[in-house]
Amino acid sequence: MRMAVGAAAGEGAAQSPGPAAVSLGLSVAVVSSLVNGSTFVLQKKGIVRARGRGTSYLTDIVWWSGTIAMALGQIGNFLAYTAVPTVLVTPLGALGVPFGSILASYLLKEKLNILGKLGCLLSCAGSVVLIIHSPKSESVTTQAELEEKLTNPALCRKNCLENCSDCPSHSSSEIPSPSYQVLQK
């Protein structure tokens, strides 16, 4: 079984990003998270404004700014994922939730109770803890490394258990799965 790996011959081997690239990638991730957190608030504000004027929300500039912000935030996420490892970018996505709820309390005059404030604080703290304690990511640079990782016994056991979970003998339910029923015919 031959698999094509871009850096199989050692050409263009993936290297870990430098400190400047990590700083830039994390900055883009934080900004895009904040932009994504604001999108639904801006869209709802636009809908409320349009409803108050008796027009369609599609004519409201605030709704369109929320929609455009959503696209820009996702582009920023994409760029951040290409610049730094996923294990660093993903926790930062949670920062959009507290930002959106705080923004909603100001723009939409929604009340944020003590549990909401505590949730925002815990979300921020959790993101920081996950980033501080993130594992070093290993990049696969050769075909031999890829084959070694794919034939890891722990991975093989996990895949076997996931694939066998539909078997009636391993299932906790008394109803056989549809694939089992087809095989019985």
Side-chain angles (χ1 to χ4, degrees):
M1 173 170 104
R2 306 261 320 155
M3 296 185 170
V5 176
E11 302 165 7
Q15 297 179 9
S16 61
V22 170
S23 297
L24 180 64
L26 291 178
S27 300
V28 169
V30 168
V31 169
S32 67
S33 178
L34 298 179
V35 169
N36 281 332
S38 70
T39 59
F40 293 115
V41 176
L42 291 173
Q43 288 178 329
K44 185 174 180 182
K45 181 74 172 176
I47 289 170
V48 169
R49 281 177 26 145
R51 188 178 296 151
R53 290 191 318 246
T55 61
S56 171
Y57 64 89
L58 294 173
T59 61
D60 192 87
I61 190 70
V62 175
W63 185 85
W64 279 107
S65 66
T67 304
I68 292 169
M70 185 181 296
L72 293 175
Q74 292 304 322
I75 290 170
N77 267 343
F78 177 74
L79 293 174
Y81 277 115
T82 60
V84 293
T86 305
V87 72
L88 295 177
V89 176
T90 303
L92 293 174
L95 295 179
V97 174
F99 183 72
S101 59
I102 292 168
L103 192 63
S105 69
Y106 288 113
L107 287 180
L108 301 173
K109 307 296 184 230
E110 294 179 356
K111 298 295 179 202
L112 192 61
N113 62 19
I114 189 70
L115 290 177
K117 292 174 185 174
L118 181 63
C120 290
L121 180 69
L122 289 174
S123 178
C124 293
S127 293
V128 170
V129 167
L130 283 172
I131 290 172
I132 289 172
H133 298 291
S134 65
K136 294 283 184 191
S137 62
E138 300 175 14
S139 58
V140 177
T141 57
T142 65
Q143 183 175 352
E145 288 178 13
L146 179 63
E147 289 173 358
E148 179 184 337
K149 290 193 181 296
L150 289 176
T151 57
N152 182 344
L155 180 65
C156 292
R157 270 192 303 273
K158 176 187 165 290
N159 288 337
C160 183
L161 289 174
E162 284 179 356
N163 292 333
C164 293
S165 65
D166 287 337
C167 299
S169 61
H170 293 85
S171 177
S172 61
S173 105
E174 294 297 317
I175 302 170
S177 67
S179 59
Y180 178 74
Q181 291 173 353
V182 170
L183 291 174
Q184 294 297 315
K185 290 182 181 181

